Amino acid sequence: MTERTIETTPTADAATTQEHDPEQSMPETCPECDGRGITDDEHGEVACEDCGLVLDADAIDHGPEWRAFTDRQKDDRSRVGAPITNLMHDNGLSATMGWQNKDAHGNTLASKKQRRLARLRKWDRRYRTKDATERNLKQALGEIERMASALGLPTPARETAGVLYRRALEEGLLPGRSIEGMATASLYAAARQQGTPRTLTDVTKVSRVEKLRIQRAYRYMSKELRLQIEPTDPMQYIGQFASTLAVSAEAEHLARDLMETAKEEALHSGKNPAGLAAAALYAAAYLSNEEITQAEVGEAAQVSEVTIRNRYQDLLEVQAEY
DNA sequence: CATTCGTGAAGACGAAT
DNA sequence: ATTCGATTTCACGAATG
């Protein structure tokens, strides 16, 4: 018989509620993973939910920040002050509440008022650092900004890193892992997504975390967030390396040509992209009669001379065919 | 002399199990 | 978690210029 089943009370069902409603999003598609473009309207950015690529940062406008915030809790924000940025845990809009029991003129308050203030502070504190999550964000975003600056990464990469970290946080990827590791991984991933990659070795140098931990965090994050990041195209390193090595524009162009044919021969698959790019530059400089040693190129690309040699030989081989 | 080239042993990594 | 194959690195000596 169909008797009434005793339903368990839905006490904690809000835990895993997804905020995004795919239907209400803009009709764009993500160029990276050909998936659906999904808005992340809380920050005024259009980002793909599958790979986290920020398609259009600050899609709204560049004018005064008069946007109407529908979010009830947050619409108490001040309308003036520093610009909103993703890189502060509360988007840079906080005001601080004094802790002394004095009024604006420095007079001590009556004890009744003191207790009222204490309650206010309590809520203020709860709002500001709702939980450990917010504090994580604050610290992580600071680290991201610091490292990005040390690496000379442009703003889009920094913003993307912030978004990625937020997502990692929202998906509960942090517990049991170090904030620093995740923050570094976010930046590494973001730099690659934005077409301004840095080698893992370079990223490691400005991070407080060991390479292995960063790599693990990156892998984990890439998997859980469904990031679809192709292996770095060696071509993307050429400009960077050419600049630090100060080779001629001519040689740089030649290096790109070499890379082009190398890619057609699938020479790059499975190889260290930085090594190949470095070898292309070495070869190009050599052919242009510019003095540049394997050691120098290796230093610029953070690969060993041996690797330069090997890739360099490979390049000459495929080049000989044409 | 500095640089390049080649090699074997050893380590690190990704994929498969 | 371990194993396996490919790649990279290290250390060295030899060749080249």
Side-chain angles (χ1 to χ4, degrees):
Chain A
M1 313 305 197
T2 48
E3 73 287 274
R4 241 172 283 183
T5 46
I6 301 154
E7 301 277 3
T8 51
T9 48
T11 42
D13 59 348
T16 52
T17 306
Q18 282 283 356
E19 290 265 32
H20 294 301
D21 184 0
E23 302 309 321
Q24 74 172 46
S25 58
M26 308 180 57
E28 291 189 357
T29 50
C30 175
E32 278 301 306
C33 62
D34 76 11
R36 323 125 334 166
I38 300 298
T39 56
D40 178 6
D41 31 10
E42 190 176 352
H43 309 117
E45 290 164 338
V46 184
C48 174
E49 202 177 44
D50 282 332
C51 62
L53 178 75
V54 175
L55 299 167
D56 191 1
D58 193 12
I60 309 299
D61 65 37
H62 293 271
E65 288 159 357
W66 294 346
R67 289 174 56 197
F69 290 92
T70 50
D71 192 339
R72 262 171 287 118
Q73 279 205 327
K74 292 181 182 173
D75 81 24
D76 201 7
R77 288 169 171 168
S78 74
R79 296 290 194 255
V80 294
I84 297 180
T85 169
N86 261 325
L87 297 175
M88 294 189 193
H89 78 297
D90 56 1
N91 288 332
L93 291 170
S94 57
T96 43
M97 190 172 219
W99 53 272
Q100 290 168 330
N101 287 318
K102 306 277 183 70
D103 65 15
H105 305 292
N107 301 321
T108 307
L109 296 169
S111 64
K112 231 178 191 176
K113 288 201 169 187
Q114 282 189 18
R115 260 187 282 151
R116 259 178 58 196
L117 258 185
R119 281 198 299 275
L120 263 176
R121 281 198 202 94
K122 197 169 177 181
W123 283 104
D124 184 52
R125 207 162 42 236
R126 283 185 186 168
Y127 167 72
R128 194 178 313 285
T129 60
K130 276 187 201 102
D131 38 23
T133 304
E134 287 292 315
R135 251 174 285 145
N136 278 0
L137 250 190
K138 189 177 179 182
Q139 188 184 342
L141 294 178
E143 274 302 292
I144 286 174
E145 183 57 27
R146 180 186 65 79
M147 293 186 291
S149 159
L151 289 168
L153 282 169
T155 311
R158 305 180 187 201
E159 299 270 340
T160 307
V163 172
L164 286 179
Y165 190 86
R166 269 178 206 277
R167 287 189 53 202
L169 209 51
E170 283 162 12
E171 309 256 344
L173 265 43
L174 261 297
R177 249 157 273 267
S178 86
I179 296 173
E180 301 251 353
M182 265 299 175
T184 315
S186 300
L187 188 61
Y188 175 64
R192 289 180 59 170
Q193 277 193 343
Q194 293 299 318
T196 54
R198 294 295 181 272
T199 62
L200 189 55
T201 323
D202 282 336
V203 174
T204 306
K205 280 185 182 159
V206 300
S207 176
R208 300 186 214 274
V209 191
E210 317 139 62
K211 195 193 230 172
L212 184 66
R213 301 206 169 278
I214 299 171
Q215 205 164 17
R216 276 210 204 118
Y218 168 71
R219 288 255 235 144
Y220 180 63
M221 185 164 110
S222 176
K223 191 145 221 147
E224 295 298 319
L225 258 42
R226 302 272 160 86
L227 302 186
Q228 298 196 1
I229 302 182
E230 299 284 312
T232 303
D233 183 346
M235 201 73 96
Q236 293 182 322
Y237 283 125
I238 287 187
Q240 194 182 325
F241 295 163
S243 150
T244 64
L245 289 167
V247 298
S248 69
E250 188 189 352
E252 180 179 343
H253 190 265
L254 181 53
R256 290 185 191 279
D257 285 347
L258 291 176
M259 270 303 315
E260 197 59 51
T261 55
K263 270 164 66 181
E264 283 167 16
E265 299 290 329
L267 190 59
H268 59 302
S269 92
K271 305 287 179 15
N272 181 348
L276 191 55
L281 270 170
Y282 173 74
Y286 186 74
L287 294 175
S288 311
N289 292 319
E290 289 178 40
E291 293 189 8
I292 180 174
T293 72
Q294 294 177 354
E296 285 172 325
V297 196
E299 171 68 23
Q302 295 294 308
V303 296
S304 77
E305 298 174 43
V306 184
T307 305
I308 306 275
R309 284 202 279 278
N310 292 335
R311 294 296 84 75
Y312 165 65
Q313 301 289 358
D314 292 346
L315 280 173
L316 292 187
E317 269 181 43
V318 298
Q319 193 70 16
E321 295 175 12
Y322 271 78

mmCIF file of all heavy atoms in Angstrom, chain A residues 148-174:
data_model
loop_
_atom_site.group_PDB
_atom_site.id
_atom_site.type_symbol
_atom_site.label_atom_id
_atom_site.label_comp_id
_atom_site.label_asym_id
_atom_site.label_seq_id
_atom_site.Cartn_x
_atom_site.Cartn_y
_atom_site.Cartn_z
ATOM 1 N N ALA A 148 52.021 37.535 -9.428
ATOM 2 C CA ALA A 148 51.772 38.005 -10.791
ATOM 3 C C ALA A 148 52.641 39.204 -11.103
ATOM 4 O O ALA A 148 53.214 39.332 -12.180
ATOM 5 C CB ALA A 148 50.296 38.361 -10.954
ATOM 6 N N SER A 149 52.766 40.057 -10.115
ATOM 7 C CA SER A 149 53.586 41.238 -10.294
ATOM 8 C C SER A 149 55.053 40.857 -10.477
ATOM 9 O O SER A 149 55.753 41.391 -11.329
ATOM 10 C CB SER A 149 53.383 42.145 -9.086
ATOM 11 O OG SER A 149 54.438 43.027 -8.962
ATOM 12 N N ALA A 150 55.500 39.906 -9.702
ATOM 13 C CA ALA A 150 56.893 39.465 -9.818
ATOM 14 C C ALA A 150 57.158 38.812 -11.164
ATOM 15 O O ALA A 150 58.270 38.849 -11.676
ATOM 16 C CB ALA A 150 57.216 38.487 -8.686
ATOM 17 N N LEU A 151 56.128 38.202 -11.722
ATOM 18 C CA LEU A 151 56.289 37.518 -13.005
ATOM 19 C C LEU A 151 55.984 38.438 -14.183
ATOM 20 O O LEU A 151 56.099 38.038 -15.335
ATOM 21 C CB LEU A 151 55.351 36.307 -13.076
ATOM 22 C CG LEU A 151 55.721 35.121 -12.192
ATOM 23 C CD1 LEU A 151 54.579 34.122 -12.141
ATOM 24 C CD2 LEU A 151 56.974 34.445 -12.706
ATOM 25 N N GLY A 152 55.558 39.646 -13.885
ATOM 26 C CA GLY A 152 55.222 40.571 -14.956
ATOM 27 C C GLY A 152 54.010 40.138 -15.756
ATOM 28 O O GLY A 152 53.941 40.384 -16.960
ATOM 29 N N LEU A 153 53.067 39.509 -15.094
ATOM 30 C CA LEU A 153 51.875 39.057 -15.806
ATOM 31 C C LEU A 153 50.858 40.187 -15.943
ATOM 32 O O LEU A 153 50.669 40.967 -15.008
ATOM 33 C CB LEU A 153 51.237 37.883 -15.062
ATOM 34 C CG LEU A 153 51.928 36.544 -15.265
ATOM 35 C CD1 LEU A 153 51.397 35.514 -14.293
ATOM 36 C CD2 LEU A 153 51.722 36.066 -16.696
ATOM 37 N N PRO A 154 50.210 40.281 -17.098
ATOM 38 C CA PRO A 154 49.247 41.341 -17.343
ATOM 39 C C PRO A 154 47.954 41.136 -16.550
ATOM 40 O O PRO A 154 47.693 40.046 -16.033
ATOM 41 C CB PRO A 154 48.970 41.231 -18.842
ATOM 42 C CG PRO A 154 49.265 39.810 -19.176
ATOM 43 C CD PRO A 154 50.376 39.403 -18.261
ATOM 44 N N THR A 155 47.172 42.180 -16.492
ATOM 45 C CA THR A 155 45.950 42.162 -15.701
ATOM 46 C C THR A 155 44.982 41.016 -16.008
ATOM 47 O O THR A 155 44.462 40.412 -15.076
ATOM 48 C CB THR A 155 45.212 43.504 -15.864
ATOM 49 O OG1 THR A 155 46.156 44.554 -15.653
ATOM 50 C CG2 THR A 155 44.093 43.617 -14.865
ATOM 51 N N PRO A 156 44.721 40.721 -17.286
ATOM 52 C CA PRO A 156 43.756 39.646 -17.543
ATOM 53 C C PRO A 156 44.128 38.345 -16.856
ATOM 54 O O PRO A 156 43.254 37.646 -16.340
ATOM 55 C CB PRO A 156 43.820 39.478 -19.063
ATOM 56 C CG PRO A 156 44.371 40.740 -19.577
ATOM 57 C CD PRO A 156 45.223 41.321 -18.514
ATOM 58 N N ALA A 157 45.424 38.046 -16.827
ATOM 59 C CA ALA A 157 45.858 36.813 -16.183
ATOM 60 C C ALA A 157 45.597 36.883 -14.677
ATOM 61 O O ALA A 157 45.172 35.900 -14.069
ATOM 62 C CB ALA A 157 47.345 36.578 -16.447
ATOM 63 N N ARG A 158 45.818 38.044 -14.105
ATOM 64 C CA ARG A 158 45.586 38.187 -12.669
ATOM 65 C C ARG A 158 44.114 38.012 -12.330
ATOM 66 O O ARG A 158 43.739 37.331 -11.387
ATOM 67 C CB ARG A 158 46.045 39.561 -12.190
ATOM 68 C CG ARG A 158 47.495 39.817 -12.548
ATOM 69 C CD ARG A 158 47.946 41.183 -12.069
ATOM 70 N NE ARG A 158 49.287 41.458 -12.573
ATOM 71 C CZ ARG A 158 50.110 42.338 -12.034
ATOM 72 N NH1 ARG A 158 49.728 43.042 -11.001
ATOM 73 N NH2 ARG A 158 51.301 42.519 -12.547
ATOM 74 N N GLU A 159 43.286 38.652 -13.128
ATOM 75 C CA GLU A 159 41.847 38.551 -12.887
ATOM 76 C C GLU A 159 41.381 37.110 -13.016
ATOM 77 O O GLU A 159 40.613 36.607 -12.204
ATOM 78 C CB GLU A 159 41.090 39.426 -13.889
ATOM 79 C CG GLU A 159 41.438 40.906 -13.801
ATOM 80 C CD GLU A 159 40.530 41.628 -12.821
ATOM 81 O OE1 GLU A 159 39.450 41.088 -12.526
ATOM 82 O OE2 GLU A 159 40.907 42.718 -12.354
ATOM 83 N N THR A 160 41.867 36.462 -14.069
ATOM 84 C CA THR A 160 41.476 35.076 -14.277
ATOM 85 C C THR A 160 41.903 34.209 -13.107
ATOM 86 O O THR A 160 41.157 33.347 -12.647
ATOM 87 C CB THR A 160 42.099 34.527 -15.569
ATOM 88 O OG1 THR A 160 41.771 35.404 -16.638
ATOM 89 C CG2 THR A 160 41.575 33.145 -15.881
ATOM 90 N N ALA A 161 43.099 34.464 -12.621
ATOM 91 C CA ALA A 161 43.589 33.702 -11.476
ATOM 92 C C ALA A 161 42.647 33.873 -10.289
ATOM 93 O O ALA A 161 42.314 32.910 -9.602
ATOM 94 C CB ALA A 161 45.001 34.148 -11.112
ATOM 95 N N GLY A 162 42.199 35.095 -10.074
ATOM 96 C CA GLY A 162 41.261 35.362 -8.995
ATOM 97 C C GLY A 162 39.978 34.576 -9.171
ATOM 98 O O GLY A 162 39.476 33.954 -8.237
ATOM 99 N N VAL A 163 39.463 34.587 -10.388
ATOM 100 C CA VAL A 163 38.219 33.870 -10.669
ATOM 101 C C VAL A 163 38.395 32.377 -10.440
ATOM 102 O O VAL A 163 37.566 31.716 -9.817
ATOM 103 C CB VAL A 163 37.758 34.133 -12.117
ATOM 104 C CG1 VAL A 163 36.586 33.240 -12.465
ATOM 105 C CG2 VAL A 163 37.386 35.586 -12.300
ATOM 106 N N LEU A 164 39.504 31.857 -10.926
ATOM 107 C CA LEU A 164 39.758 30.425 -10.762
ATOM 108 C C LEU A 164 39.827 30.063 -9.285
ATOM 109 O O LEU A 164 39.271 29.055 -8.854
ATOM 110 C CB LEU A 164 41.070 30.036 -11.451
ATOM 111 C CG LEU A 164 41.040 29.982 -12.970
ATOM 112 C CD1 LEU A 164 42.410 29.604 -13.514
ATOM 113 C CD2 LEU A 164 40.001 28.981 -13.441
ATOM 114 N N TYR A 165 40.507 30.901 -8.525
ATOM 115 C CA TYR A 165 40.643 30.597 -7.109
ATOM 116 C C TYR A 165 39.269 30.611 -6.426
ATOM 117 O O TYR A 165 38.954 29.734 -5.628
ATOM 118 C CB TYR A 165 41.587 31.582 -6.429
ATOM 119 C CG TYR A 165 41.937 31.141 -5.038
ATOM 120 C CD1 TYR A 165 42.983 30.268 -4.822
ATOM 121 C CD2 TYR A 165 41.178 31.560 -3.949
ATOM 122 C CE1 TYR A 165 43.288 29.824 -3.559
ATOM 123 C CE2 TYR A 165 41.473 31.124 -2.679
ATOM 124 C CZ TYR A 165 42.528 30.256 -2.491
ATOM 125 O OH TYR A 165 42.820 29.813 -1.236
ATOM 126 N N ARG A 166 38.475 31.601 -6.762
ATOM 127 C CA ARG A 166 37.119 31.653 -6.212
ATOM 128 C C ARG A 166 36.351 30.381 -6.508
ATOM 129 O O ARG A 166 35.671 29.822 -5.656
ATOM 130 C CB ARG A 166 36.345 32.820 -6.822
ATOM 131 C CG ARG A 166 36.462 34.099 -6.047
ATOM 132 C CD ARG A 166 35.702 35.192 -6.773
ATOM 133 N NE ARG A 166 36.240 36.503 -6.452
ATOM 134 C CZ ARG A 166 35.903 37.178 -5.356
ATOM 135 N NH1 ARG A 166 35.031 36.670 -4.527
ATOM 136 N NH2 ARG A 166 36.441 38.347 -5.110
ATOM 137 N N ARG A 167 36.476 29.953 -7.744
ATOM 138 C CA ARG A 167 35.751 28.742 -8.126
ATOM 139 C C ARG A 167 36.233 27.539 -7.322
ATOM 140 O O ARG A 167 35.440 26.729 -6.849
ATOM 141 C CB ARG A 167 35.922 28.470 -9.619
ATOM 142 C CG ARG A 167 35.130 29.436 -10.485
ATOM 143 C CD ARG A 167 35.146 28.998 -11.923
ATOM 144 N NE ARG A 167 34.725 27.607 -12.081
ATOM 145 C CZ ARG A 167 35.032 26.849 -13.128
ATOM 146 N NH1 ARG A 167 35.772 27.345 -14.087
ATOM 147 N NH2 ARG A 167 34.599 25.626 -13.199
ATOM 148 N N ALA A 168 37.551 27.456 -7.177
ATOM 149 C CA ALA A 168 38.117 26.349 -6.409
ATOM 150 C C ALA A 168 37.560 26.367 -4.990
ATOM 151 O O ALA A 168 37.211 25.338 -4.418
ATOM 152 C CB ALA A 168 39.638 26.441 -6.395
ATOM 153 N N LEU A 169 37.452 27.557 -4.469
ATOM 154 C CA LEU A 169 36.933 27.733 -3.120
ATOM 155 C C LEU A 169 35.475 27.302 -3.043
ATOM 156 O O LEU A 169 35.058 26.558 -2.164
ATOM 157 C CB LEU A 169 37.079 29.207 -2.733
ATOM 158 C CG LEU A 169 37.268 29.552 -1.271
ATOM 159 C CD1 LEU A 169 38.395 28.730 -0.703
ATOM 160 C CD2 LEU A 169 37.568 31.025 -1.149
ATOM 161 N N GLU A 170 34.702 27.774 -4.014
ATOM 162 C CA GLU A 170 33.273 27.473 -4.013
ATOM 163 C C GLU A 170 33.010 25.987 -4.161
ATOM 164 O O GLU A 170 32.033 25.457 -3.636
ATOM 165 C CB GLU A 170 32.578 28.238 -5.147
ATOM 166 C CG GLU A 170 32.361 29.704 -4.828
ATOM 167 C CD GLU A 170 32.080 30.520 -6.081
ATOM 168 O OE1 GLU A 170 31.835 29.889 -7.142
ATOM 169 O OE2 GLU A 170 32.108 31.763 -6.006
ATOM 170 N N GLU A 171 33.859 25.315 -4.902
ATOM 171 C CA GLU A 171 33.659 23.890 -5.116
ATOM 172 C C GLU A 171 34.251 23.063 -3.979
ATOM 173 O O GLU A 171 34.305 21.843 -4.064
ATOM 174 C CB GLU A 171 34.305 23.455 -6.432
ATOM 175 C CG GLU A 171 33.908 24.311 -7.604
ATOM 176 C CD GLU A 171 32.896 23.616 -8.502
ATOM 177 O OE1 GLU A 171 32.746 22.394 -8.372
ATOM 178 O OE2 GLU A 171 32.258 24.307 -9.307
ATOM 179 N N GLY A 172 34.738 23.760 -2.958
ATOM 180 C CA GLY A 172 35.261 23.043 -1.812
ATOM 181 C C GLY A 172 36.530 22.280 -2.085
ATOM 182 O O GLY A 172 36.737 21.190 -1.562
ATOM 183 N N LEU A 173 37.370 22.838 -2.921
ATOM 184 C CA LEU A 173 38.609 22.142 -3.267
ATOM 185 C C LEU A 173 39.728 22.423 -2.283
ATOM 186 O O LEU A 173 40.774 21.789 -2.333
ATOM 187 C CB LEU A 173 39.062 22.570 -4.668
ATOM 188 C CG LEU A 173 38.650 21.704 -5.844
ATOM 189 C CD1 LEU A 173 37.219 21.262 -5.741
ATOM 190 C CD2 LEU A 173 38.856 22.448 -7.144
ATOM 191 N N LEU A 174 39.484 23.366 -1.393
ATOM 192 C CA LEU A 174 40.575 23.815 -0.550
ATOM 193 C C LEU A 174 40.872 22.942 0.661
ATOM 194 O O LEU A 174 42.027 22.708 0.967
ATOM 195 C CB LEU A 174 40.313 25.247 -0.080
ATOM 196 C CG LEU A 174 41.023 26.331 -0.862
ATOM 197 C CD1 LEU A 174 42.526 26.150 -0.715
ATOM 198 C CD2 LEU A 174 40.663 26.269 -2.340
#
